[in-house]
Amino acid sequence: QIIANRISDSYLVLNDCLIMSDFNETFLKTFRLHDYDIRGKDIFTFFKEHKKYKVNVKRFQNAIQKAQASNETVSFEIHIESLDKYFTIEISTLYNNDIFLGILLLFKDITQHKKDMQAIKDNQDMLMEKERLASLGQLIGGISHNLKTPIMSISGAAEGLTDLIKEYEASVGDPEVTVDDHHAIANDMKEWISKIHSYTAYMSDIITAVKGQAVALSENQNDVFTIDELLKRVDILMRHEIRNASLTLETKLDIPSSTKLHGDVNSLVQVVNNLITNMLDLLKELENDYPSNIKIKEEMR
């Protein structure tokens, strides 16, 4: 009994009638009980009367029945809020010469393990968030450059349309201006408008890509996207950094670019961007054998 009381895990023994018949001091201390609170009492009645533990009695009954039927150890985890503790409970049957003697319940305190795992997860989430924000910060300079190009182009198109409008106004009532001249002016306007549409579509793609990378990690979604969409976002977000390194981005696909994938496109974009960024950082340290392009090869099996 002295040895049993020294064991760090709590145990509880039920006799063949599922009456609590034995336990160690660790069990009493852990559950803040006295000997007279439990000895000789039915375990299920005890849990029903002590609602502070908020134990799922039905779950215990099913586990004990399963252990009795299979003669194997049954285990599950529980969290007792009133104690702020987590346990792995192992339920085993006790036999002597094929005679059923009772049930052994072993309560393994895994509270510290749970806290450690949560701390690790929190640290991982924090590091991932820091890395995501750092990468996003690096992208801002490139994105501003990417936006300047279509903005300047739209501004140029607006100037071109302004000149055409002035030319058209001046031609009104001019007998020397033919129908073909009017059509020529109209065609020029259409060309400028078509260019503006392409510039605005490109800006929309940039905003979509940046917005996707700005989404919090907890908001990741399971979407359907194509390989082409993935590579387009990578190209938009990494174009400036790659150009600054005097490199070009070359993609080689062994599958159709229209192939659909299921998952979080923003996270996958972040993974590919990180690979490229790490490569750029490595190349900065190299003085010789500097490549002229970066190759991304997509393979699917």
Side-chain angles (χ1 to χ4, degrees):
Q1 186 62 45
I2 293 175
I3 294 173
N5 290 334
R6 292 284 185 177
I7 297 175
S8 59
D9 293 328
S10 304
Y11 77 79
L12 178 64
V13 178
L14 311 180
N15 65 16
D16 56 341
C17 296
L18 303 185
I19 301 298
M20 296 182 286
S21 60
D22 197 16
F23 39 82
N24 60 355
E25 287 187 8
T26 307
F27 181 86
L28 296 178
K29 291 179 180 178
T30 300
F31 289 88
R32 301 168 188 172
L33 296 167
H34 297 92
D35 181 293
Y36 55 79
D37 291 323
I38 57 176
R39 189 180 297 279
K41 297 184 179 181
D42 176 80
I43 183 172
F44 302 126
T45 302
F46 171 81
F47 281 137
K48 289 178 181 179
E49 291 177 349
H50 292 73
K51 295 182 178 180
K52 63 180 181 179
Y53 297 126
K54 297 182 181 180
V55 171
N56 188 332
V57 177
K58 187 65 176 178
R59 188 179 186 185
F60 263 93
Q61 289 176 324
N62 292 337
I64 289 176
Q65 290 173 359
K66 184 177 179 180
Q68 286 180 288
S70 63
N71 197 22
E72 295 180 355
T73 299
V74 176
S75 63
F76 59 92
E77 289 186 10
I78 65 169
H79 176 219
I80 299 182
E81 295 182 10
S82 60
L83 301 177
D84 191 24
K85 287 184 177 296
Y86 291 86
F87 296 94
T88 294
I89 301 179
E90 294 183 356
I91 300 177
S92 305
T93 52
L94 303 176
Y95 282 88
N96 183 24
N97 296 327
D98 295 331
I99 298 176
F100 176 64
L101 301 180
I103 299 286
L104 171 65
L105 287 81
L106 188 63
F107 295 76
K108 295 185 176 181
D109 191 338
I110 58 172
T111 305
Q112 190 58 50
H113 171 72
K114 284 284 188 179
K115 290 181 178 180
D116 292 341
M117 293 301 295
Q118 185 61 45
I120 291 173
K121 182 180 181 302
D122 291 342
N123 289 335
Q124 288 177 336
D125 290 344
M126 182 177 63
L127 290 174
M128 290 175 64
E129 183 68 8
K130 284 184 176 180
E131 181 178 348
R132 185 184 68 84
L133 292 176
S135 299
L136 189 60
Q138 293 176 355
L139 291 174
I140 290 176
I143 295 306
S144 62
H145 182 273
N146 287 346
L147 286 175
K148 282 181 181 179
T149 301
I151 289 174
M152 293 299 293
S153 299
I154 291 173
S155 177
E159 289 293 330
L161 285 172
T162 301
D163 292 339
L164 288 171
I165 291 171
K166 290 179 180 179
E167 181 181 349
Y168 182 76
E169 287 180 339
S171 69
V172 174
D174 189 339
E176 295 184 2
V177 179
T178 65
V179 174
D180 290 338
D181 292 334
H182 286 290
H183 283 303
I185 294 174
N187 287 333
D188 289 342
M189 288 183 174
K190 289 178 181 178
E191 288 182 7
W192 281 119
I193 291 174
S194 177
K195 290 179 180 179
I196 290 175
H197 284 162
S198 65
Y199 299 145
T200 54
Y202 177 63
M203 292 174 66
S204 177
D205 290 339
I206 292 175
I207 293 171
T208 299
V210 175
K211 182 180 178 181
Q213 296 308 302
V215 172
L217 292 175
S218 60
E219 298 177 10
N220 288 350
Q221 297 179 351
N222 189 358
D223 298 322
V224 178
F225 58 94
T226 64
I227 296 292
D228 184 63
E229 181 181 355
L230 168 67
L231 296 180
K232 183 197 294 186
R233 293 196 185 193
V234 171
D235 177 63
I236 288 174
L237 294 172
M238 299 303 298
R239 181 178 300 176
H240 182 65
E241 287 190 56
I242 293 173
R243 284 181 177 176
N244 280 349
S246 299
L247 299 171
T248 59
L249 179 64
E250 176 185 332
T251 60
K252 177 183 178 182
L253 297 178
D254 293 334
I255 57 174
S257 61
S258 59
T259 301
K260 293 183 179 180
L261 300 177
H262 294 265
D264 184 0
V265 63
N266 298 319
S267 293
L268 189 53
V269 167
Q270 184 67 52
V271 170
V272 178
N273 287 354
N274 286 346
L275 290 174
I276 295 176
T277 300
N278 292 341
M279 188 186 304
L280 292 175
D281 291 339
L282 177 61
L283 292 177
K284 288 178 182 178
E285 301 177 5
L286 301 178
E287 296 181 358
N288 301 316
D289 300 325
Y290 199 79
S292 61
N293 63 352
I294 296 176
K295 296 182 179 180
I296 298 178
K297 185 176 181 181
E298 300 288 339
E299 295 185 355
M300 296 188 69
R301 296 288 184 263

